Amino acid sequence: VDCLSSLTLDEAVDAKQIAIETLSAYRRIGFSSSRLIEICQILELICVAATLGWIAQAPAGRDANEVVRAITALQDQDGRWRNTSETAEVCLSLLRVSQRHPSLVPLDSIHEALTRGVEYLLRAYDVAAGNWDADVNATAKSIHAIVLFDQAVGYAATDFVTDIGTRQRRMAHSRMHGQEVTSSGTLL
């Protein structure tokens, strides 16, 4: 929203028209028929458009609820969305909308999905490798999501980081003494 304040009047009119046309197109085809990350971007567009007064609050709230239902329906039982990178990206998107637009989105549904998603990210961390999925993108997004979730709801991210350090020291010590260790840092 802040970046839109620097637009000229013509650019703002164009941005508004593009946003309205985009949302209309997604309403016609159905929000849930899109790719997951696209659905998250649509949710953010709905919230920004409503905040700027480009669309009315009531339809925006209905659309936001429908989109959140589509997002949560795609979440696996273990809390993951497709893979670690997408799980972190969805968590970041849900964190943004719940913090910036709490009156438009179903906070209970979002909080439950976020909690499950962040818990998946915590479990998916590979202590031995020191990352998520041997992927810098997944690692950066996962750390970002966990820390923002911690800031938003007081989740124990600092405990997680401390635990990682403890497990890595335990693994290094065990290897020096010829003991086998799992990727979670547990002795075999």
Side-chain angles (χ1 to χ4, degrees):
V1 174
D2 294 333
C3 69
L4 295 174
S5 62
S6 64
L7 296 177
T8 67
L9 182 58
D10 288 341
E11 291 170 330
V13 169
D14 289 345
K16 177 182 178 180
Q17 190 60 37
I18 291 168
I20 291 169
E21 288 173 8
T22 300
L23 291 173
S24 293
Y26 278 103
R27 278 188 202 104
R28 279 192 306 277
I29 64 169
F31 297 116
S32 61
S33 65
S34 302
R35 293 176 308 127
L36 177 61
I37 299 307
E38 218 174 300
I39 298 170
C40 291
Q41 292 166 341
I42 293 165
L43 177 61
E44 293 190 58
L45 178 60
I46 291 166
C47 293
V48 169
T51 299
L52 293 172
W54 294 352
I55 58 175
Q57 293 285 319
R62 285 190 300 274
D63 287 348
N65 277 296
E66 184 180 338
V67 171
V68 168
R69 278 193 303 277
I71 292 168
T72 57
L74 293 170
Q75 189 175 29
D76 292 341
Q77 278 301 113
D78 65 358
R80 170 178 50 131
W81 281 280
R82 205 167 80 90
N83 58 44
T84 303
S85 183
E86 281 200 14
T87 299
E89 196 164 338
V90 171
C91 287
L92 288 168
S93 180
L94 293 176
L95 281 162
R96 279 190 297 272
V97 297
S98 65
Q99 291 173 345
R100 295 178 185 163
H101 311 282
S103 64
L104 280 175
V105 294
L107 292 175
D108 289 344
S109 298
I110 286 178
H111 181 74
E112 181 182 330
L114 272 170
T115 300
R116 291 177 51 225
V118 168
E119 287 173 349
Y120 168 79
L121 294 174
L122 294 170
R123 287 189 311 274
Y125 180 76
D126 184 343
V127 176
N131 60 45
W132 280 264
D133 296 347
D135 176 357
V136 69
N137 191 29
T139 298
K141 287 191 276 187
S142 295
I143 291 168
H144 192 187
I146 291 167
V147 169
L148 287 182
F149 187 72
D150 178 41
Q151 291 172 349
V153 299
Y155 206 71
T158 53
D159 294 343
F160 171 69
V161 173
T162 302
D163 184 53
I164 288 172
T166 302
R167 288 177 187 224
Q168 287 177 328
R169 285 189 297 281
R170 183 183 316 138
M171 289 176 69
H173 181 266
S174 298
R175 286 190 181 118
M176 285 185 347
H177 292 89
Q179 297 171 317
E180 288 190 47
V181 184
T182 67
S183 65
S184 68
T186 307
L187 290 173
L188 294 176

